[in-house]
Amino acid sequence: LFFSVLLNPSVVGFSSTRQQSPQRGWHFRDWKRGRPCVRLDAVHRSGAMSRKKSFGGGSDKTNNNDDNNDNSNNVGVVGEKGIYSMPALYDLAFGYRDYEEEVAFLVERHKKHAGKEPNRILELAAGPSRHSLAALSNPDWTTVIHHATALDLSTEMMEYSNDLANEMLDTSSRRACFDYVIEDMRRFSVSNGDGDDKKMLFDTAWMLLGSMQHLNTNEDVVDCFRSVYETLQPGGTLVLELPHPRETFSMVECTRNDWKVPLDDSDGTEFGELRIVWGDDDDPFDPITQVRNFTVSFDVDTKEKDKEGELQSVRQVVPLRLFTTQEIKLFARCCGFSVVEMFGALSDEVSINDGEAAYRLVCVLQKDHNDGDDA
């Protein structure tokens, strides 16, 4: 049974005041084309990945796979049957974001510092790659953005994103401008596709939606930044989006961060809701490593529940690192970048010091214009 999922543009109950800012300016232009379709029986088959409040004890550990016990392996996708293996639900959960507006910000930041719009875009830990697809599908940027590459470790995300690209990029020539590669964002190289070993160079790279938090160690961050540096043109930019630093210094009081998305069928009749939790009360935070084990869950609550009347759910514990601005500046300098701007949202109207309006840490890093080794 398939339901076409249409997002309701009304405010959908963010519980944390820090998360109110994303609700400003709801737009769903992208969802008219390539909107996700939630297969409820598939969600049910994945099973509820429940755990006790005290993470890490006994048989209740979520990541009980040998390959996933080490945090360093949880880059890009966590586990085989976790939240990153449910791309339609993941896409729906973050559908409140205005991708076109955010891409306009990203393009403008690059233009300001590089002196021209980016022709080639690299989206790291891309998931559904909504930003890349928004960039390519906007007719205003057809002559500007020539190519976008999405990079992730999840084959499910890649298949989902390619389906979206087939729908959103409505000409064969534009569809050929998008590709998706399965790579580890810590150590990667993207081929230019001409059958030789020469790597593709990009004008700008984007690591959004807190994806950098999957880099739990300093070594992971340095490896990633160096890989990005090597794949950027001289003067290229790297844009990071992370939780605001105030989140790092309030981890001693971890609170629940949740929201809801109404689910409508193809006739516009509401048949349930998707409940998202991204961090729960008392999720443990290690102040030494700055890693918090986030409880993440997607619960599809419909009027047609299974025989036991239970929610159809997917749950996971995801170790995510919290970063400070000083760390970002130091990592950048170690890897050849300069931090040229910081904002409190994906908007040039929100300063990083703008009190409650600043709810994210957005950093613009730039490679030296004079570094022509990779040109």
Side-chain angles (χ1 to χ4, degrees), residues 240-252:
L240 311 172
E241 181 203 358
L242 292 160
H244 195 277
R246 72 166 61 93
E247 299 290 339
T248 304
F249 294 102
S250 63
M251 284 295 97
V252 291

Side-chain angles (χ1 to χ4, degrees), residues 3-16:
F3 291 91
S4 296
V5 179
L6 306 177
L7 291 188
N8 187 333
S10 60
V11 175
V12 290
F14 284 72
S15 65
S16 170

Side-chain angles (χ1 to χ4, degrees), residues 80-279:
E80 275 192 332
K81 296 297 183 182
I83 58 171
Y84 302 105
S85 297
M86 308 297 294
L89 293 184
Y90 183 94
D91 195 17
L92 181 62
F94 292 98
Y96 62 83
R97 296 180 63 133
D98 186 339
Y99 297 110
E100 288 187 5
E101 190 171 283
E102 292 176 359
V103 169
F105 166 83
L106 296 167
V107 170
E108 185 59 33
R109 295 347 289 164
H110 178 84
K111 181 180 178 181
K112 175 182 177 179
H113 298 287
K116 60 180 181 179
E117 291 94 345
N119 297 141
R120 291 182 177 273
I121 295 167
L122 174 63
E123 186 175 357
L124 296 161
S129 63
R130 280 287 180 177
H131 290 90
S132 292
L133 295 176
L136 289 174
S137 61
N138 190 323
D140 294 338
W141 296 323
T142 300
T143 60
V144 174
I145 299 174
H146 301 161
H147 190 90
T149 296
L151 182 150
D152 203 290
L153 278 180
S154 170
T155 56
E156 291 89 350
M157 288 289 186
M158 179 185 68
E159 293 167 0
Y160 179 83
S161 180
N162 281 327
D163 287 342
L164 287 180
N166 292 337
E167 296 180 24
M168 295 177 64
L169 307 179
D170 49 12
T171 65
S172 58
S173 60
R174 205 57 177 157
R175 178 62 180 85
C177 296
F178 174 77
D179 65 342
Y180 203 115
V181 297
I182 300 297
E183 290 276 358
D184 187 325
M185 67 178 173
R186 294 168 297 181
R187 292 171 291 275
F188 67 89
S189 178
V190 181
S191 169
N192 65 7
D194 293 335
D196 55 33
D197 294 330
K198 188 176 181 181
K199 61 186 177 184
M200 183 181 293
L201 296 181
F202 297 88
D203 298 300
T204 187
W206 303 337
M207 200 184 311
L208 308 172
L209 283 162
S211 296
M212 183 179 167
Q213 293 183 269
H214 290 289
L215 302 173
N216 289 172
T217 68
N218 292 343
E219 291 77 15
D220 286 344
V221 177
V222 170
D223 286 346
C224 177
F225 277 23
R226 286 178 175 169
S227 290
V228 175
Y229 186 91
E230 292 299 320
T231 200
L232 285 177
Q233 297 278 9
T237 56
L238 167 61
V239 183
L240 311 172
E241 181 203 358
L242 292 160
H244 195 277
R246 72 166 61 93
E247 299 290 339
T248 304
F249 294 102
S250 63
M251 284 295 97
V252 291
E253 297 179 357
C254 298
T255 57
R256 185 182 182 93
N257 180 31
D258 61 340
W259 64 98
K260 301 175 183 178
V261 178
L263 304 179
D264 298 342
D265 62 21
S266 57
D267 297 324
T269 302
E270 185 173 326
F271 65 87
E273 64 184 10
L274 171 63
R275 301 174 186 172
I276 303 100
V277 173
W278 204 277

